[in-house]
Amino acid sequence: MVDFTLSDEQKALREMAHDFAVKEIRPVAWEYDRDGTWPAEILRKAWEVGLMNSHIPEEYGGPGASYFDGCLIEEEMAWGCSGIQTSVGANGLATSPVIIGGSEEVKREYLGMLTEEPKLASFCLTEPDAGSDVSGMRTRAVRNGDKYVITGQKCFITNGGYADWYTVYAKTDPEAGHRGISAFVVPRDDTVIVDKKEDKMGQRASNTATITFNETEVPAGNLLGAENKGFKLAMMTLDRTRPGVAAMAVGIARAAFEFATEYSKERVQFGVPIAMHQAIQFLIADMATKIHAARLMTWNAGVLLDQGRRNTLESSHAKRFAADTAMEVTTDAVQVYGGYGFIKEYPVEKLMRDAKIMQLYEGTSQIQRLVIARETLLPRHIEEPATVTA
Ligand SMILES: Cc1cc2nc3c(=O)[nH]c(=O)nc-3n(C[C@H](O)[C@H](O)[C@H](O)COP(=O)(O)OP(=O)(O)OC[C@H]3O[C@@H](n4cnc5c(N)ncnc54)[C@H](O)[C@@H]3O)c2cc1C
C-alpha cells in the first residue's frame, strides 16, 4: 500500500522540529547570517532535545531515527535557517561512513563521543584539486606498523573548525584512482591544522574550513571498511545523506514560498493586491507544485533507505530536483517581492543566497544528472545494500 499520511509519532516529531525552528532558529537566523555567527548555543539545545545525531543507532546512544524521520526534521529545521541546520546536521555526514564501515570498537568510541556530549565531527572528502572528481585527491595514508600516517589538505569542510574528529578519505594506493582511496576516523590533535574559515555567499552561520593533516597518526583499526574501498563508502554515504540535503532544500523553498504568498496578499499595485494578478498567481502555483513534487521525491528516497533498499537513483532525483526547486522558488520569491526582494531588510534575499549551495555540495546538480543518466542507461537491479568489506 502506498500511503503518504504521517503517523502520530511522525507528526509529533515534525511539530517538535518546527517548534524548535520557530523558537530557537528563526529569531536569530537573519542576524546570524549577517554577522556569520557560529550557532553554538543552538547546537547545544538541538543536541539536548534529540534533533542532532538523529541517525545514530540507539545501541550507541543515539535516537536511532529512520531516514524518513530525519527528512522531516531537516525540512523543518532548514525552514528556520538552512545554514544553522547544516551545522546541526553535519554529524550525520561524518558518522554515516562509521555506521556503515566502522568496527564495533570504533563505533562505540566515536559515535559514543557525539551522543555523550554535544560534540561535532566533519566529513573530509573534497580537496583543492579534487571536488566532483575525488579520484584526483592527493591526501595520502601510509601504513606504518599498526598505524596509518595521514598527510594532506581538505577544503570546504563543514564544521571543520569545531570538529572533535574527522572522517578522512586518503589514497592508500595512489596509482589506482578511485580504487585506491580508503576512509579513516581521525581524532583532532596537534597535527590537525584548521587553516582557513571561508567567507560565504550564503549559509553564513555554518562553518566551512580548510583542514590540513600533517603526518597525523591513527591506529590501523580506525580504517573504515576495507583498504581501498573508501570511494564506495563515500558513495554509499551520499546515498544516505542526499535525501537530507533534499529535505533541507524543500525547507528553504517552503520558507520562501510562505513569505512570497503572504507578501502577494498585502502588496497593492494597480489597485489590487498583486496576488490578484494572474502572473503572480502562476508564479505561486508553480512554486507550490515544485515544492510538493520535491518533498515526495525526498520522502521516496528516504523510505527506500528505511526499507534497506538501494536508493542511488532516487537520492539523486531528489537532491537534484529539490536543489533546483529551492533555487527557482527563492528566485521567484524575490520576483514576487519586486525591488524589495533585493533588499537585505526583507527575508527572501537570504533564502536565495542560501538556496545556491543546495546545487553545489554533496554533488553538484550536474553530478546528480550524471548519476541519474548512468543509473538510467545502465540500470542495476540490486535490492540488497552493497558492502564495503573485503
Ligand atoms: C559551503 C560548502 C560546504 C561543503 N561541505 C563539505 C564537506 O563537509 N565535506 C566535503 O568533503 N566537501 C564539502 N564541500 C565541497 C563540495 O562538495 C564541492 O564543492 C562540490 O562537490 C563541487 O566540487 P568543486 O567545488 O571542486 O567543483 P568542481 O568539481 O570543480 O566543479 C566545477 C563545475 O564543473 C561541473 N562539473 C565537474 N565535473 C563535471 C562533469 N563530469 N560533468 C559535468 N559537469 C561537471 C560542476 O558541476 C561545477 O558546475 C562543501 C562545499 C561548500 C561550498
Side-chain angles (χ1 to χ4, degrees):
M1 189 175 82
V2 177
D3 185 356
F4 299 114
T5 315
L6 300 186
S7 68
D8 288 345
E9 290 77 21
Q10 285 165 336
K11 282 184 196 155
L13 179 69
R14 186 164 72 169
E15 209 174 298
M16 201 253 270
H18 187 72
D19 281 354
F20 188 90
V22 169
K23 291 189 186 117
E24 307 293 344
I25 300 179
R26 271 277 172 106
V28 295
W30 277 264
E31 177 194 328
Y32 280 23
D33 168 72
R34 187 191 61 218
D35 302 339
T37 308
W38 171 244
E41 187 58 14
I42 298 175
L43 291 178
R44 193 185 57 72
K45 287 183 183 162
W47 181 85
E48 273 170 12
V49 299
L51 289 170
M52 211 166 155
N53 302 316
S54 62
H55 302 326
I56 297 188
E58 287 175 356
E59 60 210 282
Y60 306 108
S66 67
Y67 286 99
F68 182 84
D69 289 355
C71 290
L72 297 178
I73 295 173
E74 301 232 26
E75 179 181 332
E76 296 311 315
M77 300 280 279
W79 172 90
C81 172
S82 67
I84 293 174
Q85 173 51 24
T86 289
S87 301
V88 172
N91 277 2
L93 184 58
T95 54
S96 195
V98 177
I99 293 168
I100 301 167
S103 68
E104 193 53 31
E105 208 182 341
V106 162
K107 284 186 201 170
R108 290 215 173 279
E109 181 172 355
Y110 290 96
L111 300 179
M113 212 187 273
L114 303 182
T115 55
E116 277 154 25
E117 279 182 68
K119 291 193 165 180
L120 298 173
S122 290
F123 179 86
C124 300
L125 183 64
T126 306
E127 298 188 2
D129 294 325
S132 302
D133 179 12
V134 297
S135 71
M137 72 170 59
R138 295 205 194 133
T139 297
R140 288 289 320 266
V142 178
R143 179 92 190 224
N144 184 5
D146 59 355
K147 292 193 163 105
Y148 282 93
V149 182
I150 299 176
T151 304
Q153 189 173 66
K154 298 288 176 179
C155 65
F156 299 154
I157 303 307
T158 298
N159 289 357
Y162 296 92
D164 292 282
W165 58 266
Y166 302 86
T167 303
V168 180
Y169 293 81
K171 284 272 175 78
T172 33
D173 183 350
E175 309 306 320
H178 72 274
R179 291 198 175 83
I181 296 171
S182 302
F184 303 87
V185 170
V186 180
R188 185 168 182 166
D189 66 17
D190 293 347
T191 64
V192 178
I193 313 293
V194 178
D195 286 319
K196 185 184 174 201
K197 180 196 165 217
E198 302 293 350
D199 186 7
K200 303 192 296 292
M201 169 197 282
Q203 294 209 335
R204 293 175 51 77
S206 69
N207 173 264
T208 312
T210 297
I211 310 292
T212 302
F213 299 92
N214 203 353
E215 299 197 353
T216 303
E217 291 188 352
V218 296
N222 283 22
L223 174 71
L224 299 172
E227 211 176 77
N228 299 325
K229 298 278 184 179
F231 180 77
K232 190 163 189 180
L233 192 56
M235 296 305 112
M236 287 173 72
T237 293
L238 295 173
D239 285 351
R240 283 158 179 72
T241 56
R242 282 175 180 158
V245 177
M248 280 205 290
V250 174
I252 299 171
R254 196 180 105 214
F257 168 75
E258 288 172 4
F259 283 122
T261 311
E262 282 312 304
Y263 186 82
S264 73
K265 292 185 208 163
E266 289 161 12
R267 175 73 175 166
V268 174
Q269 288 295 286
F270 297 97
V272 291
I274 57 170
M276 298 294 283
H277 300 303
Q278 199 178 51
I280 296 292
Q281 289 172 13
F282 280 13
L283 274 181
I284 301 276
D286 285 349
M287 287 182 194
T289 305
K290 286 177 195 167
I291 292 168
H292 185 60
R295 185 182 293 114
L296 290 179
M297 282 191 198
T298 301
W299 286 6
N300 178 217
V303 164
L304 287 173
L305 283 174
D306 291 329
Q307 293 172 340
R309 292 164 66 191
R310 190 167 175 276
N311 74 339
T312 305
L313 175 62
E314 290 78 5
S315 249
S316 284
H317 277 319
K319 163 61 166 81
R320 201 290 289 166
F321 188 79
D324 292 355
T325 290
M327 199 65 248
E328 289 160 14
V329 167
T330 54
T331 306
D332 286 346
V334 169
Q335 196 66 26
V336 170
Y337 270 71
Y340 296 97
F342 200 63
I343 307 297
K344 282 189 183 287
E345 200 182 323
Y346 292 82
V348 288
E349 177 268 352
K350 167 188 184 289
L351 297 174
M352 187 174 165
R353 285 186 285 106
D354 285 350
K356 187 61 210 172
I357 189 63
M358 296 291 130
Q359 296 178 309
L360 299 171
Y361 63 18
E362 296 206 24
T364 64
S365 289
Q366 288 74 30
I367 294 304
Q368 304 310 324
R369 286 183 174 88
L370 284 185
V371 174
I372 293 164
R374 190 193 62 216
E375 294 283 319
T376 304
L377 294 165
L378 298 167
R380 283 189 275 173
H381 300 291
I382 304 168
E383 291 297 317
E384 315 80 46
T387 175
V388 287
T389 45

